[in-house]
Short mmCIF file of all heavy atoms in Angstrom, two decimals:
data_model
loop_
_atom_site.label_atom_id
_atom_site.label_comp_id
_atom_site.label_asym_id
_atom_site.label_seq_id
_atom_site.Cartn_x
_atom_site.Cartn_y
_atom_site.Cartn_z
N MET A 1249 93.12 90.88 80.76
CA MET A 1249 92.53 89.98 79.77
C MET A 1249 91.06 90.32 79.56
O MET A 1249 90.56 90.34 78.44
CB MET A 1249 92.69 88.54 80.24
CG MET A 1249 94.09 87.95 80.29
SD MET A 1249 94.20 86.29 80.91
CE MET A 1249 93.61 85.40 79.46
N LEU A 1250 90.36 90.68 80.66
CA LEU A 1250 89.02 91.12 80.61
C LEU A 1250 88.86 92.41 79.77
O LEU A 1250 87.99 92.50 78.90
CB LEU A 1250 88.44 91.29 81.98
CG LEU A 1250 87.05 91.90 82.08
CD1 LEU A 1250 86.02 90.97 81.57
CD2 LEU A 1250 86.75 92.31 83.59
N GLU A 1251 89.78 93.36 80.05
CA GLU A 1251 89.76 94.65 79.31
C GLU A 1251 89.96 94.36 77.86
O GLU A 1251 89.24 94.97 76.99
CB GLU A 1251 90.83 95.50 79.90
CG GLU A 1251 90.92 96.87 79.24
CD GLU A 1251 92.01 97.71 79.83
OE1 GLU A 1251 91.97 98.00 81.05
OE2 GLU A 1251 92.98 98.09 79.09
N ALA A 1252 90.96 93.48 77.48
CA ALA A 1252 91.17 93.20 76.11
C ALA A 1252 90.03 92.51 75.42
O ALA A 1252 89.67 92.79 74.23
CB ALA A 1252 92.48 92.38 75.98
N LEU A 1253 89.40 91.56 76.13
CA LEU A 1253 88.24 90.84 75.58
C LEU A 1253 87.13 91.80 75.22
O LEU A 1253 86.48 91.69 74.15
CB LEU A 1253 87.79 89.76 76.59
CG LEU A 1253 86.69 88.83 76.09
CD1 LEU A 1253 87.20 87.92 75.02
CD2 LEU A 1253 86.21 88.02 77.27
N ASN A 1254 86.87 92.69 76.17
CA ASN A 1254 85.76 93.65 75.93
C ASN A 1254 86.10 94.60 74.80
O ASN A 1254 85.16 94.95 74.01
CB ASN A 1254 85.47 94.42 77.22
CG ASN A 1254 84.79 93.61 78.32
OD1 ASN A 1254 84.14 92.64 77.94
ND2 ASN A 1254 84.86 94.00 79.52
N GLU A 1255 87.33 95.10 74.71
CA GLU A 1255 87.68 95.96 73.62
C GLU A 1255 87.59 95.28 72.24
O GLU A 1255 87.03 95.84 71.31
CB GLU A 1255 89.19 96.37 73.80
CG GLU A 1255 89.42 97.38 74.96
CD GLU A 1255 90.91 97.67 75.11
OE1 GLU A 1255 91.71 97.06 74.42
OE2 GLU A 1255 91.19 98.57 75.98
N LEU A 1256 88.10 94.00 72.20
CA LEU A 1256 88.21 93.36 70.93
C LEU A 1256 86.79 92.99 70.40
O LEU A 1256 86.52 93.15 69.18
CB LEU A 1256 89.01 92.06 71.08
CG LEU A 1256 89.14 91.12 69.86
CD1 LEU A 1256 89.81 91.88 68.71
CD2 LEU A 1256 89.92 89.91 70.17
N PHE A 1257 85.89 92.51 71.27
CA PHE A 1257 84.63 92.05 70.79
C PHE A 1257 83.45 92.99 71.10
O PHE A 1257 82.30 92.60 70.78
CB PHE A 1257 84.35 90.61 71.39
CG PHE A 1257 85.30 89.58 70.85
CD1 PHE A 1257 86.29 89.04 71.70
CD2 PHE A 1257 85.26 89.15 69.56
CE1 PHE A 1257 87.16 88.11 71.27
CE2 PHE A 1257 86.12 88.18 69.10
CZ PHE A 1257 87.09 87.68 69.92
N GLY A 1258 83.71 94.09 71.76
CA GLY A 1258 82.66 95.07 72.01
C GLY A 1258 81.61 94.54 72.96
O GLY A 1258 80.37 94.73 72.75
N ILE A 1259 82.06 93.85 74.02
CA ILE A 1259 81.13 93.33 74.99
C ILE A 1259 81.34 93.96 76.36
O ILE A 1259 82.27 94.79 76.47
CB ILE A 1259 81.15 91.78 75.10
CG1 ILE A 1259 82.55 91.33 75.56
CG2 ILE A 1259 80.77 91.15 73.80
CD1 ILE A 1259 82.69 89.84 75.77
N LYS A 1260 80.59 93.60 77.35
CA LYS A 1260 80.75 94.12 78.76
C LYS A 1260 80.91 92.97 79.73
O LYS A 1260 80.13 92.89 80.67
CB LYS A 1260 79.61 95.08 79.04
CG LYS A 1260 79.65 96.36 78.22
CD LYS A 1260 78.50 97.28 78.66
CE LYS A 1260 78.52 98.53 77.81
NZ LYS A 1260 77.43 99.54 78.20
N ALA A 1261 81.75 92.08 79.43
CA ALA A 1261 82.01 90.97 80.37
C ALA A 1261 82.60 91.48 81.70
O ALA A 1261 83.13 92.57 81.70
CB ALA A 1261 83.02 89.96 79.74
N VAL A 1262 82.36 90.70 82.77
CA VAL A 1262 82.86 91.06 84.04
C VAL A 1262 83.84 89.97 84.57
O VAL A 1262 83.85 88.89 83.97
CB VAL A 1262 81.71 91.25 85.02
CG1 VAL A 1262 80.84 92.39 84.67
CG2 VAL A 1262 80.84 89.94 85.18
N ILE A 1263 84.56 90.26 85.57
CA ILE A 1263 85.62 89.33 86.04
C ILE A 1263 85.11 87.98 86.40
O ILE A 1263 85.80 86.96 86.19
CB ILE A 1263 86.46 89.98 87.17
CG1 ILE A 1263 87.87 89.35 87.23
CG2 ILE A 1263 85.68 89.91 88.44
CD1 ILE A 1263 88.76 89.64 86.16
N SER A 1264 83.91 87.92 86.94
CA SER A 1264 83.31 86.64 87.31
C SER A 1264 83.08 85.71 86.10
O SER A 1264 82.97 84.49 86.23
CB SER A 1264 82.04 86.79 88.07
OG SER A 1264 81.06 87.51 87.31
N ASP A 1265 83.02 86.25 84.88
CA ASP A 1265 82.90 85.46 83.70
C ASP A 1265 84.13 84.60 83.46
O ASP A 1265 84.03 83.58 82.74
CB ASP A 1265 82.70 86.29 82.46
CG ASP A 1265 81.28 87.02 82.42
OD1 ASP A 1265 80.34 86.34 82.81
OD2 ASP A 1265 81.20 88.17 82.05
N PHE A 1266 85.23 84.89 84.05
CA PHE A 1266 86.47 84.16 83.91
C PHE A 1266 86.53 83.00 84.91
O PHE A 1266 87.52 82.23 84.81
CB PHE A 1266 87.70 85.07 84.02
CG PHE A 1266 88.00 85.84 82.87
CD1 PHE A 1266 88.79 86.97 83.00
CD2 PHE A 1266 87.55 85.51 81.59
CE1 PHE A 1266 89.13 87.75 81.85
CE2 PHE A 1266 87.87 86.25 80.46
CZ PHE A 1266 88.67 87.37 80.59
N TYR A 1267 85.64 82.93 85.88
CA TYR A 1267 85.79 81.94 86.92
C TYR A 1267 85.77 80.53 86.35
O TYR A 1267 84.96 80.19 85.54
CB TYR A 1267 84.65 82.12 87.98
CG TYR A 1267 84.77 83.33 88.82
CD1 TYR A 1267 83.76 83.69 89.70
CD2 TYR A 1267 85.87 84.21 88.78
CE1 TYR A 1267 83.83 84.83 90.48
CE2 TYR A 1267 85.96 85.31 89.57
CZ TYR A 1267 84.93 85.66 90.38
OH TYR A 1267 85.02 86.75 91.13
N ASN A 1268 86.73 79.79 86.77
CA ASN A 1268 86.95 78.37 86.37
C ASN A 1268 87.35 78.25 84.90
O ASN A 1268 87.14 77.26 84.27
CB ASN A 1268 85.71 77.49 86.67
CG ASN A 1268 86.16 76.13 87.24
OD1 ASN A 1268 87.33 75.75 87.17
ND2 ASN A 1268 85.19 75.38 87.80
N ASN A 1269 87.89 79.35 84.37
CA ASN A 1269 88.50 79.30 82.98
C ASN A 1269 87.61 78.73 81.88
O ASN A 1269 87.98 77.75 81.27
CB ASN A 1269 89.78 78.54 83.09
CG ASN A 1269 90.89 79.24 83.87
OD1 ASN A 1269 90.61 80.09 84.64
ND2 ASN A 1269 92.11 78.85 83.70
N PRO A 1270 86.47 79.39 81.63
CA PRO A 1270 85.69 78.91 80.48
C PRO A 1270 86.33 79.28 79.17
O PRO A 1270 87.21 80.13 79.20
CB PRO A 1270 84.38 79.73 80.66
CG PRO A 1270 84.81 80.94 81.36
CD PRO A 1270 85.90 80.55 82.26
N THR A 1271 85.92 78.70 78.11
CA THR A 1271 86.46 79.08 76.77
C THR A 1271 85.93 80.48 76.44
O THR A 1271 84.86 80.91 76.97
CB THR A 1271 86.05 78.12 75.73
OG1 THR A 1271 84.59 78.14 75.56
CG2 THR A 1271 86.45 76.70 76.05
N LEU A 1272 86.59 81.13 75.50
CA LEU A 1272 86.13 82.49 75.11
C LEU A 1272 84.77 82.36 74.46
O LEU A 1272 83.92 83.30 74.55
CB LEU A 1272 87.14 83.11 74.16
CG LEU A 1272 88.48 83.44 74.69
CD1 LEU A 1272 89.42 84.04 73.64
CD2 LEU A 1272 88.43 84.34 75.93
N SER A 1273 84.53 81.25 73.76
CA SER A 1273 83.17 81.09 73.09
C SER A 1273 82.07 81.07 74.10
O SER A 1273 81.01 81.61 73.82
CB SER A 1273 83.22 79.81 72.28
OG SER A 1273 84.14 79.87 71.20
N VAL A 1274 82.33 80.47 75.24
CA VAL A 1274 81.30 80.37 76.28
C VAL A 1274 80.98 81.77 76.78
O VAL A 1274 79.79 82.20 76.98
CB VAL A 1274 81.71 79.48 77.42
CG1 VAL A 1274 80.87 79.65 78.68
CG2 VAL A 1274 81.78 78.02 76.99
N ILE A 1275 82.00 82.63 76.99
CA ILE A 1275 81.79 84.01 77.44
C ILE A 1275 81.06 84.83 76.42
O ILE A 1275 80.10 85.50 76.71
CB ILE A 1275 83.15 84.63 77.77
CG1 ILE A 1275 83.80 83.94 78.99
CG2 ILE A 1275 82.91 86.14 78.14
CD1 ILE A 1275 85.18 84.47 79.34
N LEU A 1276 81.48 84.73 75.15
CA LEU A 1276 80.81 85.50 74.10
C LEU A 1276 79.43 85.08 73.85
O LEU A 1276 78.57 85.96 73.52
CB LEU A 1276 81.62 85.30 72.80
CG LEU A 1276 82.97 86.04 72.69
CD1 LEU A 1276 83.62 85.80 71.30
CD2 LEU A 1276 82.90 87.54 72.94
N GLU A 1277 79.09 83.80 74.13
CA GLU A 1277 77.72 83.31 73.98
C GLU A 1277 76.77 84.06 74.84
O GLU A 1277 75.63 84.29 74.56
CB GLU A 1277 77.71 81.79 74.25
CG GLU A 1277 76.36 81.15 74.08
CD GLU A 1277 75.99 81.11 72.54
OE1 GLU A 1277 76.85 80.90 71.75
OE2 GLU A 1277 74.78 81.20 72.28
N ARG A 1278 77.24 84.56 76.03
CA ARG A 1278 76.47 85.24 76.97
C ARG A 1278 76.14 86.67 76.51
O ARG A 1278 75.07 87.24 76.96
CB ARG A 1278 77.18 85.28 78.35
CG ARG A 1278 77.40 83.94 79.00
CD ARG A 1278 78.34 84.10 80.23
NE ARG A 1278 78.76 82.82 80.72
CZ ARG A 1278 79.80 82.65 81.53
NH1 ARG A 1278 80.45 83.66 81.92
NH2 ARG A 1278 80.07 81.44 81.99
N TYR A 1279 77.03 87.25 75.72
CA TYR A 1279 76.89 88.69 75.42
C TYR A 1279 76.62 88.97 73.94
O TYR A 1279 75.85 89.86 73.62
CB TYR A 1279 78.22 89.40 75.89
CG TYR A 1279 78.42 89.40 77.31
CD1 TYR A 1279 79.25 88.43 77.93
CD2 TYR A 1279 77.81 90.33 78.13
CE1 TYR A 1279 79.44 88.43 79.29
CE2 TYR A 1279 78.01 90.33 79.57
CZ TYR A 1279 78.84 89.36 80.06
OH TYR A 1279 79.06 89.32 81.42
N LYS A 1280 77.26 88.22 73.07
CA LYS A 1280 77.06 88.41 71.65
C LYS A 1280 77.01 87.00 70.99
O LYS A 1280 77.96 86.56 70.28
CB LYS A 1280 78.16 89.24 71.02
CG LYS A 1280 78.00 90.68 71.19
CD LYS A 1280 78.97 91.51 70.25
CE LYS A 1280 78.73 92.98 70.32
NZ LYS A 1280 79.62 93.75 69.46
N PRO A 1281 75.93 86.28 71.20
CA PRO A 1281 75.88 84.95 70.60
C PRO A 1281 76.01 84.94 69.06
O PRO A 1281 76.40 83.90 68.47
CB PRO A 1281 74.43 84.45 71.07
CG PRO A 1281 73.71 85.69 71.43
CD PRO A 1281 74.66 86.65 71.93
N GLU A 1282 75.67 86.05 68.45
CA GLU A 1282 75.84 86.07 66.95
C GLU A 1282 77.30 85.89 66.53
O GLU A 1282 77.56 85.40 65.42
CB GLU A 1282 75.25 87.32 66.39
CG GLU A 1282 75.99 88.66 66.79
CD GLU A 1282 75.43 89.23 68.15
OE1 GLU A 1282 74.76 88.54 68.87
OE2 GLU A 1282 75.71 90.42 68.37
N LEU A 1283 78.22 86.24 67.37
CA LEU A 1283 79.65 86.12 67.01
C LEU A 1283 79.98 84.64 66.99
O LEU A 1283 80.83 84.23 66.21
CB LEU A 1283 80.51 86.82 68.02
CG LEU A 1283 80.59 88.35 67.95
CD1 LEU A 1283 81.45 88.92 69.01
CD2 LEU A 1283 81.13 88.77 66.58
N CYS A 1284 79.39 83.82 67.86
CA CYS A 1284 79.62 82.43 67.85
C CYS A 1284 79.10 81.69 66.67
O CYS A 1284 79.49 80.57 66.33
CB CYS A 1284 79.15 81.77 69.14
SG CYS A 1284 79.88 82.44 70.64
N LEU A 1285 78.13 82.36 65.97
CA LEU A 1285 77.60 81.80 64.72
C LEU A 1285 78.55 82.27 63.56
O LEU A 1285 78.66 81.48 62.58
CB LEU A 1285 76.13 82.25 64.48
CG LEU A 1285 75.13 81.80 65.53
CD1 LEU A 1285 73.83 82.46 65.25
CD2 LEU A 1285 75.04 80.31 65.54
N GLU A 1286 79.04 83.41 63.69
CA GLU A 1286 79.86 83.97 62.57
C GLU A 1286 81.27 83.46 62.53
O GLU A 1286 81.87 83.17 61.53
CB GLU A 1286 79.90 85.54 62.73
CG GLU A 1286 80.67 86.24 61.64
CD GLU A 1286 80.70 87.73 61.85
OE1 GLU A 1286 80.00 88.21 62.70
OE2 GLU A 1286 81.42 88.38 60.99
N PHE A 1287 81.80 83.17 63.80
CA PHE A 1287 83.16 82.67 63.90
C PHE A 1287 83.18 81.39 64.69
O PHE A 1287 82.46 81.19 65.63
CB PHE A 1287 84.07 83.73 64.61
CG PHE A 1287 84.14 85.04 63.96
CD1 PHE A 1287 83.40 86.14 64.41
CD2 PHE A 1287 84.91 85.25 62.76
CE1 PHE A 1287 83.48 87.38 63.84
CE2 PHE A 1287 84.98 86.48 62.20
CZ PHE A 1287 84.26 87.57 62.71
N SER A 1288 84.16 80.53 64.27
CA SER A 1288 84.34 79.23 65.00
C SER A 1288 85.06 79.53 66.29
O SER A 1288 85.66 80.58 66.51
CB SER A 1288 85.17 78.29 64.15
OG SER A 1288 86.56 78.77 64.05
N HIS A 1289 85.09 78.57 67.16
CA HIS A 1289 85.85 78.69 68.49
C HIS A 1289 87.28 78.99 68.19
O HIS A 1289 87.91 79.84 68.86
CB HIS A 1289 85.67 77.41 69.28
CG HIS A 1289 86.55 77.36 70.45
ND1 HIS A 1289 86.42 78.14 71.61
CD2 HIS A 1289 87.73 76.61 70.66
CE1 HIS A 1289 87.44 77.90 72.43
NE2 HIS A 1289 88.20 76.99 71.92
N ASP A 1290 87.83 78.32 67.19
CA ASP A 1290 89.25 78.47 66.93
C ASP A 1290 89.58 79.89 66.40
O ASP A 1290 90.62 80.52 66.70
CB ASP A 1290 89.83 77.42 65.93
CG ASP A 1290 89.92 76.05 66.57
OD1 ASP A 1290 90.50 75.98 67.67
OD2 ASP A 1290 89.40 75.07 66.01
N GLU A 1291 88.62 80.44 65.54
CA GLU A 1291 88.79 81.72 64.98
C GLU A 1291 88.70 82.80 66.09
O GLU A 1291 89.43 83.77 66.10
CB GLU A 1291 87.75 82.00 63.91
CG GLU A 1291 87.97 81.21 62.60
CD GLU A 1291 86.82 81.31 61.74
OE1 GLU A 1291 85.63 81.49 62.17
OE2 GLU A 1291 87.05 81.27 60.48
N ILE A 1292 87.78 82.57 67.02
CA ILE A 1292 87.69 83.51 68.15
C ILE A 1292 88.93 83.52 69.00
O ILE A 1292 89.44 84.56 69.41
CB ILE A 1292 86.46 83.17 69.03
CG1 ILE A 1292 85.16 83.49 68.28
CG2 ILE A 1292 86.44 83.87 70.35
CD1 ILE A 1292 83.87 82.95 68.90
N SER A 1293 89.42 82.34 69.29
CA SER A 1293 90.64 82.21 70.09
C SER A 1293 91.85 82.76 69.40
O SER A 1293 92.66 83.43 70.03
CB SER A 1293 90.88 80.73 70.39
OG SER A 1293 89.88 80.20 71.17
#
């Protein structure tokens, strides 16, 4: 899932970003916050 997330959105998330199952938007906010402005949480999901 981590590999796919990084491929799809061009980020460099690490496995600890998945701890306690955050939403994808929360992870993207750390690496590419502009995507969270461009796309809604549902669109990202």
Side-chain angles (χ1 to χ4, degrees):
M1249 295 178 74
L1250 174 67
E1251 181 180 299
L1253 185 69
N1254 285 339
E1255 288 175 355
L1256 178 61
F1257 294 108
I1259 61 176
K1260 294 182 179 180
V1262 295
I1263 201 68
S1264 59
D1265 288 320
F1266 281 160
Y1267 290 173
N1268 222 345
N1269 291 18
T1271 65
L1272 295 181
S1273 297
V1274 168
I1275 297 176
L1276 287 182
E1277 184 71 34
R1278 298 170 187 162
Y1279 296 94
K1280 278 193 175 180
E1282 64 272 17
L1283 286 177
C1284 297
L1285 298 175
E1286 183 178 355
F1287 301 103
S1288 69
H1289 168 72
D1290 288 312
E1291 289 170 332
I1292 290 169
S1293 298

